[in-house]
Amino acid sequence: MKSWGDSKKVNKQLQPGLLGQGTIPKPLHGINPRTIMGASAWSKLRVNIINDSPYCKACGKDTLVLDLHEDYAINYVEGSLILKQYVPLCKTCHSFIHIGLLTVLISNSDISIFKGQQIIQHGLNICRDNKIKVFYHTTALAEKLRVDTTGISSWTPPPSYKAWTDWYLEYEGAKHKGMSKKAWEGKYR
């Protein structure tokens, strides 16, 4: 990765709306381009994208430590997940988007409640400033952690009546099927 002194001036194109996206449905946990393409290809992709946009696309923070996030179109009724784009995110914004994982990490004491509050507050401030609705799990965790949600609206996805194994990730023209509920419980509970 190139150093900041070598980089040209970057015209930031922010996408704060990323912070309002829903969580990955349970049947598709663990199914993503990262695992499909393999670690080496993922690493190369990550370096190229971060070199092109060396800042967090959600909050604009300049940092040498960026995660590469997959932004999906989620169709809860049809049971599909379609990759829209890859975006660099700072660790805080990435943790905010992955609210389900953040909830588990706090519950397991893998991160402190204080750190969880900081992550939630950071994301909510951006959402508040940009009038972005957040996923309903986000407001639930914020309220549980006693983080101020004044001025924040949330959204709830429509119910899905698709069987767990009917869910799929569409990636590079192929459909990658979800896992059964029993398989999910064996892996994630």
Side-chain angles (χ1 to χ4, degrees):
M1 189 187 288
K2 57 187 170 184
S3 69
W4 289 114
D6 297 337
S7 63
K8 60 186 177 203
K9 181 145 173 91
V10 175
N11 181 18
K12 293 182 181 178
Q13 297 178 356
L14 299 183
Q15 298 176 30
L18 291 164
L19 297 178
Q21 65 185 218
T23 61
I24 301 299
K26 289 179 181 178
L28 296 175
H29 285 179
I31 301 170
N32 53 57
R34 258 185 329 262
T35 54
I36 295 167
M37 71 173 63
S40 178
W42 177 258
S43 181
K44 288 176 189 172
L45 177 69
R46 180 186 171 279
V47 167
N48 289 335
I49 290 174
I50 290 172
N51 278 339
D52 288 343
S53 300
Y55 60 91
C56 177
K57 289 276 190 165
C59 72
K61 180 179 180 180
D62 293 313
T63 177
L64 290 173
V65 182
L66 290 164
D67 293 338
L68 188 60
H69 175 69
E70 301 109 324
D71 179 26
Y72 297 105
I74 304 172
N75 186 323
Y76 293 92
V77 175
E78 294 297 320
S80 66
L81 193 66
I82 299 172
L83 180 69
K84 295 191 312 188
Q85 65 178 339
Y86 298 105
V87 289
L89 295 174
C90 70
K91 297 257 182 226
T92 305
C93 286
H94 202 201
S95 294
F96 181 85
I97 288 173
H98 288 284
I99 197 69
L101 177 58
L102 180 61
T103 301
V104 170
L105 292 173
I106 292 168
S107 296
N108 293 342
S109 298
D110 292 327
I111 67 168
S112 70
I113 290 173
F114 179 72
K115 180 66 176 171
Q117 290 169 323
Q118 288 179 314
I119 290 166
I120 296 293
Q121 190 63 66
H122 172 82
L124 290 182
N125 287 343
I126 294 164
C127 292
R128 190 178 290 114
D129 292 347
N130 291 281
K131 298 178 177 27
I132 296 165
K133 288 185 174 186
V134 299
F135 195 63
Y136 74 104
H137 285 163
T138 306
T139 50
L141 181 58
E143 290 166 359
K144 182 177 179 180
L145 296 179
R146 298 183 180 179
V147 176
D148 182 20
T149 59
T150 304
I152 295 293
S153 297
S154 63
W155 66 275
T156 303
S160 176
Y161 300 104
K162 290 288 183 181
W164 279 57
T165 53
D166 288 341
W167 276 86
Y168 65 90
L169 162 66
E170 186 175 316
Y171 174 68
E172 293 188 338
K175 291 183 178 181
H176 301 268
K177 289 295 207 167
M179 64 176 77
S180 70
K181 187 173 184 180
K182 185 175 182 177
W184 183 90
E185 288 172 345
K187 185 173 182 177
Y188 293 106
R189 285 215 174 170

